[in-house]
Amino acid sequence: MAIKDDISTTNGLIKTTLDSMKGYREASEDSKTANAAFFCEMADQRSAVATRLQSHVASLGGDPQDDSSASAAAHRGFMNLKQAIMGTEEKAVVEEVERGEDFIKAKYEDALKDSDLSPATRSVIEEAYTSIKAGHDKVSAMKHAMG
């Protein structure tokens, strides 16, 4: 039973991480601001995190999530991001990115509160969270630097 819970929790994080990756990809493709390269870098980082989580699910004997959820709140946030980019208002773009970052960070923190996770799964999620939190903190600093 614990393995099923580990797989389910990890697959939920994969879905959210893929939403984030897709949002950053769209932002990097559509952005005309100096932040386009940063968005591309963040998409690559999120892709790497998702891949590590997928490998873990496979090692548990599960079927790794391989697609994002169009209905996820993070994806909706990134759709708002795309609209903000179309207006080329850099501050609005960064605010939308931060909203998405707050969402994904909270998802990982909720997962880490699950006392039923196996030590191996907790370790993989903690490692992924380190990357997620670093991305969140970069975007937060970017927003605060804009005033």
Side-chain angles (χ1 to χ4, degrees):
M1 187 68 168
I3 289 177
K4 276 178 78 173
D5 290 340
D6 282 7
I7 291 169
S8 176
T9 297
T10 306
N11 270 334
L13 293 175
I14 291 168
K15 187 180 290 190
T16 302
T17 304
L18 291 172
D19 281 335
S20 177
M21 180 200 71
K22 284 183 176 183
Y24 274 118
R25 287 251 187 269
E26 289 176 11
S28 71
E29 291 167 6
D30 295 340
S31 179
K32 305 294 185 241
T33 71
N35 293 320
F38 171 74
F39 296 148
C40 187
E41 175 189 331
M42 290 302 297
D44 291 345
Q45 286 180 8
R46 295 297 158 83
S47 177
V49 167
T51 299
R52 284 192 300 271
L53 293 174
Q54 289 165 330
S55 293
H56 181 68
V57 168
S59 76
L60 294 173
D63 185 21
Q65 179 71 36
D66 63 0
D67 197 13
S68 62
S69 169
S71 64
H75 187 72
R76 284 195 309 272
F78 277 111
M79 293 310 289
N80 292 336
L81 167 64
K82 187 171 183 174
Q83 291 171 352
I85 289 171
M86 300 311 271
T88 9
E89 170 73 37
E90 187 172 2
K91 185 172 182 177
V93 171
V94 173
E95 287 173 353
E96 289 299 326
V97 170
E98 185 182 43
R99 220 183 323 253
E101 285 299 302
D102 288 344
F103 179 83
I104 193 171
K105 180 176 169 256
K107 283 289 198 184
Y108 274 81
E109 288 170 348
D110 287 346
L112 288 170
K113 290 176 187 171
D114 183 349
S115 60
D116 294 331
L117 289 177
S118 70
T121 296
R122 178 172 304 284
S123 176
V124 169
I125 292 173
E126 285 172 346
E127 179 183 326
Y129 176 72
T130 299
S131 175
I132 297 299
K133 186 171 181 327
H136 173 275
D137 293 350
K138 285 180 190 175
V139 171
S140 183
M142 183 186 296
K143 179 185 170 195
H144 292 295
M146 298 177 93

